[in-house]
């Protein structure tokens, strides 16, 4: 009964935390949570007590009683919220593993939620890396439920804080091991964590673990990735304490909200590259590499490059003397065989990726030959060279490559110009720092010239360069380069601007802070102004302060002030001013005057212009009580004038800067206008030349048509002349026949067919009732008169030749006819004999062939 009536609430909290009764521990946890919630800061004694005794929390979060454990986890959350970084750093080594092992797998939802919140607070309060390091060993726990709960907690942590804040590489490297676990719940939680990583990292995470997964697991993950592929980029839902402080400071500063939004829009540069050991590939290069590369056979050169390609296929390459290799790659870019070019480009890509920044010293050797070979129209060659150029650019910077790339944008080969433009677009999208203003001007001028190209592909490439540059630099920087373009081109550039995805954003430099620096000097004299006792000391310094404000009010006020100060001396005002520190009597009238005029201080500004008008010494005697107010009022405009002067100087500097900028814009616009006029003149000249060429072509076509017509007329004339010649020949032959005597019966019987109509050919038989053989003797013997024989011979010869015998030509026939009249009779008889002899032979031959004259059998 005594134990039941004992009041444990009077025990100190540490004692109650370690009490053997779970109810006492539970009540102690609840009381501690209330104390922590009421504490003002981490320096509170209750909080400091548990910060110093950090080992006590291990038993709290791992309490054997689940009800007490639930309250203990709540107490830990309250403690972490108030204890700050000190409590987090002192307790996390004792609590995180226990929370993950016993709190996360708890069957009570409240305990499970408190355990997860405790881990979140550990991440939020200090740094996330120690928390992840404490959780990773639990992924090898023997109990599957602990592994599944830890994976789920990691998913929640990365979902809340994002991969920007927490390094994802340690978890990504261990994922393949988790995917090989036998428990399906563990594999399911691993998939959820992988999908969460994919939301932040997309395909960039795959090189770290994707190759170690089974094909089936890869297919399942691809299906899950498709569901979240089109989701908007995730944002960090929970901030670290350091981020919260930075956000509050930025919000308090002027324009801080805009900077914060810009930071959120910026692409996140997450280093996902695995850490590999550098490999010395120089020692692995084939010994006969140079000899094989010098071979005249392209297959030998390609095989040498293939062997080198296998050597260079390592993630990281140790630095070494690669000058000879790079020179052979540059030489291979001029190879006639495209397979050699493609393989050499692949070697360049591997070497640049392996050396990273170490490859920049070889850039000048290899970049120009590769860009020169971009003239190849085959897509495989263009892709290989493009990948190699991207790797070379990644090893250097835009400033190093820009001059060379801009030169190739002016190349005479359209294909080289197009691929160089595309390479520039890819480079602009991948840079991390915005280009400088001279670089922007160079790029914009080169891209603007591409907008006037004759090919649409070239014009679109130039517009894409300007659109990407616009996305990086913003409207203010690009307006000067886009003013001279027409609306159609601006609309096209705007399309590429909206579609461009860049990693760099131009941030204008913050204005120099002369404003706050100039204000304090103005405030110091304002602070000294109420001290009336110290006025005699700054009186000597007053004139130089009033000099810049001479055109304002203080100028007339200083003059009467000087005369009044000199009035008690009855001497010149300047002499009285010089003897002022030595005259003690001059200070005595001021002391009684300084006390009464707080009411009169408002009057001197109104009376000053009146006294300033009369510069003579008339009012010296009466208003002598007011000069004290005049010097008191003088510093006031002096202090205000300093601030105004500082602002005026700044405004003048701003006006001057704007004026220079306006002049630059005008000069640029003038240049662009002159270029436009020049292009218009060139266009007019080209149109004139084109018109002249068209007219010349039409004149040549007219001449060609006329020449064809003349040719046809000439051909027709030739044809008519030939017909006329044939007609004349026929007429001549007709006249010759008319002058010759009729042929003998023998010739008619020889050359006339059996019907007696027309003239037969030499080959016709002509055997009829008036056949050849009936008059052979008569033909052979011939007429006895010489004239008759000659005439018959001529007519017989003419008949033979004209009937197609084939032996006597028309020329012979004409010559025989022409020469027959004047030839001697002996010659005619000789010819007749020869003709007769020939006829006899042919007749015998014909008889032999036809079988005529054979005796009947």
């Amino acid at each position: 009964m005594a134990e039941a009536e004992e009041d444990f609430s009077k025990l100190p909290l540490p004692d109650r935390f370690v009490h053997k009764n779970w109810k006492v521990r539970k009540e102690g946890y609840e009381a501690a949570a209330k104390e922590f919630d009421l504490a003002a800061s981490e320096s509170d004694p209750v909080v400091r007590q548990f910060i110093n005794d950090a080992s006590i929390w291990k038993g709290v979060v791992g309490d054997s009683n689940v009800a007490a454990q639930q309250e203990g986890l709540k107490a830990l959350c309250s403690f972490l919220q108030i204890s700050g970084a000190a409590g987090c750093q002192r307790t996390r080594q004792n609590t995180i593993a226990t929370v993950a092992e016993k709190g996360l797998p708890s069957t009570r939802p409240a305990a499970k939620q408190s355990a997860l919140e405790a881990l979140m607070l550990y991440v939020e309060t200090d740094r996330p890396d120690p928390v992840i390091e404490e959780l990773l060993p639990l992924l090898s726990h023997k109990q599957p439920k602990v592994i599944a709960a830890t994976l789920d907690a990691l998913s929640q942590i990365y979902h809340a804080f994002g991969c920007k804040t927490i390094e994802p590489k340690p978890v990504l490297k261990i994922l393949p091991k988790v995917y090989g676990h036998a428990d399906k719940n563990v594999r399911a939680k691993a998939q959820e964590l992988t999908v969460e990583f994919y939301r932040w990292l997309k395909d960039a995470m795959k090189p770290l673990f994707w190759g170690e997964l089974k094909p089936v697991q890869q297919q399942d993950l691809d299906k899950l990735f498709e569901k979240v592929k089109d989701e908007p980029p995730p944002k960090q839902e929970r901030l670290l304490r350091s981020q919260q402080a930075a956000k509050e400071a930025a919000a308090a500063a002027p324009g801080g909200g805009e900077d914060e939004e810009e930071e959120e829009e910026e692409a996140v540069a997450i280093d996902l590259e695995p850490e590999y050991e550098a490999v010395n590939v120089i020692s692995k290069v084939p010994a006969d590499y140079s000899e094989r590369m010098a071979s005249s056979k392209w297959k030998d050169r390609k095989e040498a490059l293939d062997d080198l390609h296998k050597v260079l296929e390592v993630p990281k390459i140790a630095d070494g003397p690669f000058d000879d290799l790079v020179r052979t790659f540059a030489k291979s870019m001029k190879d006639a065989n495209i397979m050699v070019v493609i393989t050499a480009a692949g070697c360049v890509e591997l070497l640049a990726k392996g050396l990273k920044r170490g490859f920049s010293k070889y850039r000048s050797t290899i970049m120009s030959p590769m860009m020169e070979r971009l003239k190849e129209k085959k897509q495989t060659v263009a892709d290989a060279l493009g990948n190699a150029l991207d790797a070379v650019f990644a090893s250097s910077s835009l400033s190093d490559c820009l001059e060379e790339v801009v030169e190739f944008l002016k190349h005479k080969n359209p294909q080289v110009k197009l691929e160089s433009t595309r390479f520039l677009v890819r480079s602009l999208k991948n840079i991390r720092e915005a280009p400088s203003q001279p670089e922007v001007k160079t790029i914009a001028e080169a891209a603007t010239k591409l907008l006037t190209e004759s090919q649409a592909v070239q014009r679109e490439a130039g517009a894409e360069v300007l659109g990407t540059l616009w996305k990086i630099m913003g409207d203010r920087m690009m307006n000067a380069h886009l003013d001279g373009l027409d609306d159609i081109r601006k609309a096209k550039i705007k399309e590429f601007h909206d579609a461009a995805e860049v990693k760099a954003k131009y941030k204008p430099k913050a204005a120099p802070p002369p404003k706050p620096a100039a204000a304090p000097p103005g405030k110091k004299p304002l602070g000294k102004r109420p001290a009336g006792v110290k006025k005699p000391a700054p009186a000597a310094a007053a004139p130089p302060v009033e000099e810049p404000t001479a055109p304002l009010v203080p100028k007339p006020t200083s003059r009467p002030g000087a005369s009044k100060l000199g009035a008690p001396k009855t001497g010149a005002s300047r002499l009285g001013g010089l003897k002022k520190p030595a005259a003690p009597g001059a200070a005595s009238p001021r002391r009684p005057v300084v006390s009464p005029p707080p009411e009169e201080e408002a009057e001197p500004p109104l009376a000053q212009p009146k006294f300033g008008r009369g510069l003579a010494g008339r009012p010296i005697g009466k208003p002598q009580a007011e000069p004290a107010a005049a010097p008191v009022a003088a510093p006031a405009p002096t202090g205000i004038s300093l601030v105004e002067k500082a602002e005026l100087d700044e405004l003048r500097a701003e006006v001057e800067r704007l004026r220079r900028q306006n002049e630059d814009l005008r000069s640029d616009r003038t240049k662009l206008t002159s270029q436009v006029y020049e292009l218009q003149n060139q266009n007019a000249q080209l149109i004139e030349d084109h018109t002249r060429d068209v007219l010349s072509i039409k004149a040549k076509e007219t001449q060609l048509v006329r020449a064809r017509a003349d040719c046809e007329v000439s051909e027709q004339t030739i044809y008519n002349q030939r017909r006329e010649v044939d007609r004349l020949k026929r007429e001549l032959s007709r006249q010759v026949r008319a002058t010759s005597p009729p042929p003998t019966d023998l010739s008619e019987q020889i050359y006339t067919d059996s019907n007696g109509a027309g003239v037969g050919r030499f080959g016709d038989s002509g055997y009829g009732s008036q056949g050849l053989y009936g008059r052979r003797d008569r033909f052979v013997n011939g007429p006895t008169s010489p004239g008759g024989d000659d005439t018959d011979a001529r007519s017989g010869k003419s008949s033979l030749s004209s009937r197609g015998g084939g032996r006597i030509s028309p020329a012979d026939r004409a010559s025989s006819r022409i020469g027959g009249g004047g030839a001697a009779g002996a010659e005619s008889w000789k010819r007749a004999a020869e003709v007769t002899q020939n006829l006899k032979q042919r007749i015998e031959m014909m008889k032999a062939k036809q079988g005529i004259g054979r005796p009947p059998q």
Side-chain angles (χ1 to χ4, degrees):
M1 293 294 293
E3 292 182 0
E5 293 176 357
E6 186 177 357
D7 187 8
F8 296 102
S9 61
K10 295 180 180 181
L11 292 176
L13 287 176
D15 295 341
R16 296 163 71 181
F17 272 32
V18 295
H19 200 278
K20 62 180 181 180
N21 190 338
W22 68 269
K23 292 182 180 180
V24 177
R25 295 196 303 270
K26 180 175 177 294
E27 292 175 357
Y29 302 154
E30 294 173 351
K34 292 178 182 179
E35 293 288 340
F36 295 146
D37 293 338
L38 295 175
S41 65
E42 63 181 22
S43 60
D44 193 280
V46 177
V47 180
R48 295 302 304 174
Q49 181 181 9
F50 285 94
I51 291 177
N52 296 331
D53 190 10
S55 59
I56 198 173
W57 287 106
K58 183 175 182 180
V60 173
V61 296
D63 200 300
S64 58
N65 186 277
V66 291
Q69 182 193 22
Q70 177 177 332
E71 298 301 328
L73 291 171
K74 289 182 180 179
L76 177 63
C77 294
S78 299
F79 170 76
L80 292 175
Q81 287 177 352
I82 193 60
S83 63
C88 171
Q89 295 170 2
R90 294 291 299 272
T91 60
R92 63 188 172 198
Q93 295 180 353
N94 300 317
T95 57
I96 290 180
T98 308
V99 167
E101 185 177 359
K102 296 186 177 180
L104 291 176
S106 176
T107 56
R108 295 197 169 199
K112 188 173 183 179
Q113 185 63 32
S114 298
L116 181 60
E117 180 63 22
L119 294 178
M120 293 279 190
L121 287 171
Y122 274 116
V123 174
E124 176 184 328
T125 307
D126 188 36
R127 293 184 300 111
D129 295 341
V131 180
I132 302 299
E133 292 175 2
E134 292 285 341
L135 291 177
L136 286 181
L138 293 171
L139 296 180
S140 302
H141 201 275
K142 60 181 181 180
Q143 294 184 7
K145 65 177 184 178
V146 176
I147 301 176
T150 306
L151 289 171
D152 184 61
L154 288 172
S155 301
Q156 298 294 332
I157 291 172
Y158 278 101
H159 181 82
F161 294 97
C163 294
K164 308 175 188 178
T165 306
I166 306 176
E167 179 66 37
K169 279 198 296 186
V171 183
L172 285 170
K173 291 179 181 179
I174 207 171
L175 275 180
K177 181 180 178 181
V178 180
Y179 273 103
H181 201 279
D183 191 87
K184 63 179 182 179
N185 295 327
V186 173
R187 296 195 300 271
K189 293 298 180 180
Q191 286 184 343
E192 293 179 6
L193 179 58
T194 308
V195 172
E196 183 62 35
F197 280 134
Y198 184 81
R199 291 177 64 246
W200 292 90
L201 307 175
K202 301 301 181 185
D203 293 334
M205 68 176 185
K206 289 186 177 181
L208 290 170
F209 72 99
W210 195 256
E212 301 179 29
L213 300 181
K214 297 179 181 179
V216 178
Q217 294 172 339
Q218 293 178 356
Q219 294 174 4
D220 294 341
L221 286 174
D222 286 332
K223 293 178 182 178
L224 295 174
F225 292 162
E226 287 295 328
K227 297 179 182 179
V228 299
K229 189 174 184 180
D230 298 330
E231 291 183 359
K235 294 184 179 181
Q236 185 174 349
E237 298 177 357
R238 193 163 176 171
L239 300 178
L240 304 179
R241 294 285 174 88
S242 57
Q243 293 175 338
Q244 294 174 13
K247 185 177 179 180
E248 292 174 359
E258 297 177 359
D259 297 340
E260 183 183 350
E261 291 177 1
E262 290 179 0
E263 290 178 1
E264 290 180 357
E265 292 177 0
E266 287 183 358
V268 184
I270 303 174
D271 182 18
L272 292 176
E273 185 174 353
E275 297 178 359
Y276 297 107
E277 186 178 354
V279 179
N280 184 11
V281 299
I282 290 291
S283 59
K284 300 180 181 180
V285 176
D288 58 346
Y289 171 76
S290 300
E291 298 176 1
R292 294 163 68 186
M293 288 300 296
S295 175
S296 59
K297 297 181 180 180
W298 70 269
K299 289 187 178 180
D300 295 342
R301 299 193 298 272
K302 184 179 182 300
E303 289 175 358
L305 289 171
D306 285 336
D307 295 343
L308 183 61
H309 191 277
K310 295 177 182 178
V311 173
L312 296 175
E313 280 183 329
V314 292
K316 191 174 182 180
I317 298 175
D319 198 5
F322 293 100
D323 303 80
D324 295 337
L325 288 180
V326 175
R327 279 194 287 269
T328 58
F329 296 155
K331 184 179 179 181
S332 299
M333 293 301 155
K334 302 178 182 178
D335 202 290
N337 190 279
I338 62 171
M339 298 304 297
V340 176
V341 177
I342 293 173
T343 311
C347 293
V348 172
E349 180 183 1
L350 290 176
L351 186 60
K353 288 182 177 179
L355 290 175
K356 299 190 184 304
R357 289 291 176 181
F359 189 82
S360 59
K361 55 187 174 184
Y362 308 114
R363 181 199 58 79
S364 58
T365 305
I366 191 64
M367 192 167 181
S368 291
M370 284 197 299
M371 297 189 73
E372 193 71 39
R373 192 55 194 248
L374 288 172
K375 63 185 178 182
E376 202 70 42
K377 292 185 178 180
K378 291 193 175 181
Q379 192 61 35
T380 53
V381 182
D383 292 342
L385 292 173
N387 294 334
L389 285 171
D390 292 342
V392 172
F393 179 81
S395 67
S396 57
S397 63
L398 181 64
S399 302
D400 298 335
C401 305
L402 183 60
E403 183 178 357
E404 208 162 350
V405 174
V406 170
E407 287 300 321
F408 277 94
L409 293 182
K410 307 172 186 176
H411 202 275
K412 60 183 179 180
N413 191 313
Q415 187 68 19
V416 174
K417 192 184 301 183
L418 177 61
E419 294 298 332
S420 301
T421 310
R422 290 174 176 171
F423 168 57
L424 179 58
V425 172
R426 295 194 303 270
S427 302
L428 289 174
K429 290 181 178 179
N430 290 325
I431 58 176
R432 295 287 181 182
E433 296 181 0
S436 61
Q437 294 187 13
E439 292 171 348
V440 171
K441 185 177 181 181
T442 303
I443 297 171
E445 289 177 354
T448 305
K449 291 180 181 178
L450 293 176
L451 297 177
T452 60
E453 290 289 334
S454 57
Q455 297 181 2
V457 183
Q458 294 280 6
R459 295 195 298 272
E460 289 183 0
E464 189 174 2
V465 172
L466 289 173
T468 307
L469 192 62
W470 187 1
K471 188 81 170 186
I472 295 172
M473 303 304 297
D475 297 343
R476 183 179 299 177
M477 293 296 296
M478 288 299 295
N479 282 338
H481 304 289
L482 300 176
D483 279 345
L485 302 178
D486 54 66
D487 294 338
I488 298 176
R489 289 173 178 168
K490 282 185 179 179
K492 194 68 177 177
I493 295 170
K494 182 63 176 174
E495 291 180 8
F496 287 111
H497 165 269
D498 296 338
E501 296 181 0
V502 297
K503 299 179 180 178
K505 282 285 187 181
Y506 174 74
K507 290 184 179 179
K509 293 182 179 179
K515 294 182 178 180
K523 292 179 181 178
K524 288 180 182 178
L526 290 174
K528 293 179 181 179
R529 212 177 294 159
V533 180
K534 296 183 180 179
K535 274 186 179 179
V545 175
E546 291 176 358
E547 285 180 0
T549 59
L552 300 176
V553 180
K555 189 171 183 180
T557 57
S558 61
R559 290 178 181 175
S563 61
K564 294 169 185 177
L565 289 172
K569 298 284 183 176
T570 67
S573 61
R574 294 180 183 177
L575 295 175
L578 290 172
K579 294 178 181 180
K580 174 182 172 182
S588 58
R590 288 186 182 179
R591 292 176 184 173
V593 174
V594 172
S595 54
E599 300 176 357
E600 298 174 3
E601 285 180 2
E603 297 178 3
L606 298 175
Q608 275 178 359
K610 296 179 181 180
F611 292 109
R613 292 177 186 175
L615 299 178
R618 295 178 185 175
I620 292 177
K622 294 182 180 180
Q624 191 169 1
E626 297 177 0
V632 171
T638 304
I640 295 173
S641 64
L642 287 175
V643 177
E644 290 176 353
K645 185 190 173 216
E647 292 178 355
L648 184 61
D649 292 340
E650 290 173 1
L651 290 174
R652 285 174 179 171
E654 183 71 11
V655 169
E656 186 65 24
R657 187 183 64 79
L658 292 174
R659 189 174 298 160
R660 287 196 300 270
Q661 186 176 0
N662 193 14
E663 290 175 358
D664 294 339
L665 293 176
R666 285 181 180 176
S667 62
D668 292 342
R669 188 169 184 177
T670 304
K671 290 180 183 178
L672 292 174
T673 306
S674 63
Q675 290 179 2
V676 169
Y677 289 152
E678 208 172 4
L679 291 174
Q680 288 177 351
N681 294 334
Q682 292 179 4
N683 191 20
Q685 185 66 29
L686 290 174
I687 292 173
E688 185 178 352
D689 296 342
H690 177 69
T691 305
R692 190 183 301 112
D693 293 340
V694 170
L695 293 177
S696 176
I697 291 171
K698 289 184 177 179
K700 296 294 183 183
E701 289 177 354
T702 304
Q703 293 177 3
L704 183 61
V705 170
R706 290 178 180 175
R708 287 177 180 171
D710 294 342
C711 180
E712 291 176 358
V713 172
S714 300
E715 289 177 354
Q716 186 66 29
T717 304
I718 292 171
Y719 178 74
N720 293 338
Q721 294 293 337
R722 286 178 179 173
R723 291 186 63 184
E724 185 65 19
V725 169
D726 293 339
R727 188 185 66 76
L728 291 175
K729 285 182 180 179
R730 288 195 300 271
E731 186 65 25
L732 179 62
S733 63
R734 204 178 289 118
Q735 290 178 2
V736 170
R737 287 198 197 104
T739 56
S740 300
T744 60
D745 296 337
L746 178 61
S747 61
E748 289 179 359
Q749 290 180 2
I750 293 173
Y751 298 102
T752 306
D753 55 4
S754 59
N755 296 328
V759 180
R761 293 173 301 182
F762 181 76
D764 296 340
S765 62
Y767 305 137
S769 58
Q770 300 177 352
L772 176 64
Y773 300 104
R775 299 194 177 183
R776 186 176 60 179
D777 295 337
R778 180 181 174 184
F779 180 78
V780 170
N781 293 329
T784 57
S785 60
D789 292 355
D790 184 57
T791 304
D792 292 340
R794 284 199 308 271
S795 64
K797 185 176 181 181
S798 175
S799 299
L800 281 171
S801 61
S802 62
R803 298 306 172 186
R807 297 267 181 184
I808 302 173
S809 64
D812 295 336
R813 183 175 69 239
S815 62
S816 65
R817 289 178 180 177
I818 294 172
E827 187 176 357
S828 300
W829 279 104
K830 287 179 181 179
R831 291 179 181 174
E834 290 176 1
V835 171
T836 304
Q837 188 66 26
N838 290 334
L839 288 173
K840 284 182 179 181
Q841 291 177 359
R842 292 190 177 186
I843 289 169
E844 292 298 328
M845 290 174 64
M846 291 173 63
K847 288 172 66 177
K849 288 181 179 180
Q850 298 291 333
I852 301 174
R854 294 180 183 177
Q857 295 181 357

